[in-house]
Amino acid sequence: QVQLVESGGGLVQPGGSLRLSCAASGFTFSSYDMGWYRQAPGKEREFVAISKIGGSTTYADSVKGRFTISRDNGKNTVYLQMNSVKPEDTAVYYCYARSVIVYWGKGTLVTVSS
């Protein structure tokens, strides 16, 4: 049974930092690209970052230089380090795993507000 469980969301002040985690199980983690999407209230889901099995990473322009994605294949976990957060980063953040099929987590809410 495939599971992607996000954690680490919460309330953070503008300019602050937060680290999201996504624990995976039920599939061969190291054989999947792992990434994050987000969905802000009233908006469509948008790409945030991806960590590919070859080691490369890609970021949305809106988070480049502020967010860092990393993965630990030994722990079957992917992380999203969020620094210098802005109110517009407020969203539900979803972890996903991509190969010939895509798996999604249920999301974790990040609220950036003073």
Side-chain angles (χ1 to χ4, degrees):
Q1 179 182 357
V2 172
Q3 282 193 311
L4 295 174
V5 180
E6 302 96 335
S7 61
L11 176 64
V12 59
Q13 293 187 342
S17 296
L18 207 61
R19 189 175 84 154
L20 306 183
S21 300
C22 172
S25 60
F27 62 98
T28 306
F29 183 86
S30 59
S31 297
Y32 281 69
D33 297 333
M34 298 296 300
W36 295 88
Y37 268 66
R38 68 185 181 185
Q39 187 166 19
K43 295 188 177 181
E44 293 188 353
R45 193 175 294 193
E46 65 174 2
F47 168 77
V48 175
I50 189 169
S51 171
K52 297 183 178 179
I53 58 174
S56 65
T57 56
T58 303
Y59 297 90
D61 287 343
S62 58
V63 307
K64 202 172 294 184
R66 300 188 297 121
F67 291 8
T68 302
I69 188 170
S70 62
R71 62 192 294 165
D72 186 334
N73 288 342
K75 294 183 177 180
N76 289 356
T77 302
V78 61
Y79 305 97
L80 186 68
Q81 178 67 44
M82 305 168 61
N83 297 331
S84 303
V85 296
K86 305 175 181 179
E88 51 264 43
D89 294 322
T90 294
V92 176
Y93 284 72
Y94 297 92
C95 170
Y96 72 104
R98 185 186 73 181
S99 180
V100 292
I101 192 170
V102 179
Y103 301 119
W104 291 93
K106 293 184 178 181
T108 185
L109 176 63
V110 173
T111 303
V112 182
S113 175
S114 55

